[in-house]
Amino acid sequence: MENVNLKINGLEVSAPAGSTILEAAHLAGIKIPTLCFLKEINEIGACRMCVVEVKGARNLVAACVYPVTEGMEVYTNTPKLIKSRRRTLQLLLSNHDKKCLSCVRSGNCELQQLCREYGVEDENYFEGKTNHYELDDSAAHMIRDNNKCILCRRCVAVCEKTQGIGVIGPNNRGFDTFIGSAFDMGLGETSCVSCGQCIAVCPTGALYEKDYTNQIIEAIADPDKYV
Ligand code: FES
């Protein structure tokens, strides 16, 4: 395949034609932050964490979906980009249940990690309307907590493209958008096969496995109760 030559942060980079800026940066060992991106599964440019500056372009572009071209000059870490990513994180936090201390993903949360990396400490920078959702605990194996969902759609993509099931998707529009099953059904009422792939790709604590530890301890202590 033909290669194209470009510069990223002043570094000469050669990448296969048709690559995205994110892929070219990866080849050059340059890290660009991402949140919604899942290689070949969810390349939809939704979260805007991966924004970069391209010389001559009027706006910031999403590196995960923007193709490289011959002679392109890209910048990945300018003050303007850092400000933009910080703003994106502040906006995500403005409608996010911030009970991180009790969250199962605390310490292993991509949103939390990026906030730390970008010094986003004021989690209430934007105040205003917030959404409140009931937990969906209808499935035997997992819980969906849409109060922690950032609408990255990774779960939707793996359910449909990797597992071939497609029982979840975006509902409503705009600020009222939430991920769930059609017709207000709980996940337990759908043909979900409990593969857990959606949990594995969720970048926050919006999806997590049910914890049956107490029942197991009880069953060991009193087996008759469970026969
Ligand atoms: Fe590129 Fe989300 S990672 S827009």
Side-chain angles (χ1 to χ4, degrees):
M1 188 188 286
E2 213 178 299
N3 268 19
V4 298
N5 302 299
L6 65 154
K7 277 188 184 171
I8 305 181
N9 300 341
L11 194 75
E12 306 269 2
V13 178
S14 181
S19 305
T20 62
I21 294 175
L22 186 68
E23 287 165 334
H26 185 71
L27 285 176
I30 296 168
K31 189 179 168 223
I32 297 174
T34 58
L35 254 183
C36 66
F37 176 77
L38 259 192
K39 191 169 170 50
E40 289 171 10
I41 294 173
N42 200 41
E43 300 185 1
I44 58 172
C47 75
R48 316 314 278 185
M49 268 311 290
C50 69
V51 284
V52 294
E53 285 191 70
V54 173
K55 193 171 177 188
R58 282 175 54 200
N59 299 312
L60 303 183
V61 304
C64 68
V65 289
Y66 202 91
V68 293
T69 53
E70 186 66 32
M72 179 183 252
E73 286 184 41
V74 181
Y75 300 90
T76 68
N77 222 10
T78 63
K80 187 176 179 180
L81 294 169
I82 290 168
K83 190 173 170 194
S84 169
R85 291 174 192 149
R86 283 173 57 86
R87 195 58 92 228
T88 298
L89 291 166
Q90 286 162 335
L91 283 165
L92 286 173
L93 290 179
S94 71
N95 192 24
H96 185 80
D97 179 352
K98 296 177 273 292
K99 295 192 189 99
C100 297
L101 282 180
S102 58
C103 180
V104 288
R105 288 293 299 272
S106 188
N108 181 28
C109 168
E110 293 179 41
L111 179 62
Q112 189 184 46
Q113 176 60 37
L114 283 167
C115 286
R116 197 171 294 142
E117 210 172 299
Y118 282 85
V120 176
E121 288 162 3
D122 183 1
E123 52 191 33
N124 297 317
Y125 186 85
F126 290 111
E127 288 179 359
K129 193 178 161 198
T130 53
N131 290 321
H132 298 282
Y133 299 101
E134 296 287 319
L135 297 191
D136 179 1
D137 63 354
S138 60
H141 65 302
M142 63 175 280
I143 292 175
R144 171 177 279 282
D145 180 357
N146 272 335
N147 301 296
K148 291 181 181 163
C149 175
I150 58 167
L151 299 173
C152 69
R153 292 162 169 76
R154 285 186 185 178
C155 57
V156 176
V158 287
C159 187
E160 187 181 330
K161 296 181 191 163
T162 307
Q163 200 60 29
I165 304 290
V167 293
I168 49 173
N171 291 277
N172 288 345
R173 305 186 71 178
F175 186 72
D176 295 324
T177 305
F178 68 93
I179 306 296
S181 314
F183 310 115
D184 272 341
M185 286 194 294
L187 195 59
E189 301 168 79
T190 69
S191 49
C192 166
V193 294
S194 309
C195 70
Q197 299 212 47
C198 54
I199 303 174
V201 298
C202 179
T204 70
L207 302 173
Y208 54 95
E209 289 173 32
K210 277 188 176 168
D211 184 352
Y212 287 105
T213 311
N214 288 340
Q215 286 90 329
I216 292 168
I217 292 169
E218 273 180 28
I220 291 169
D222 184 6
D224 292 343
K225 192 173 165 188
Y226 286 87
V227 290

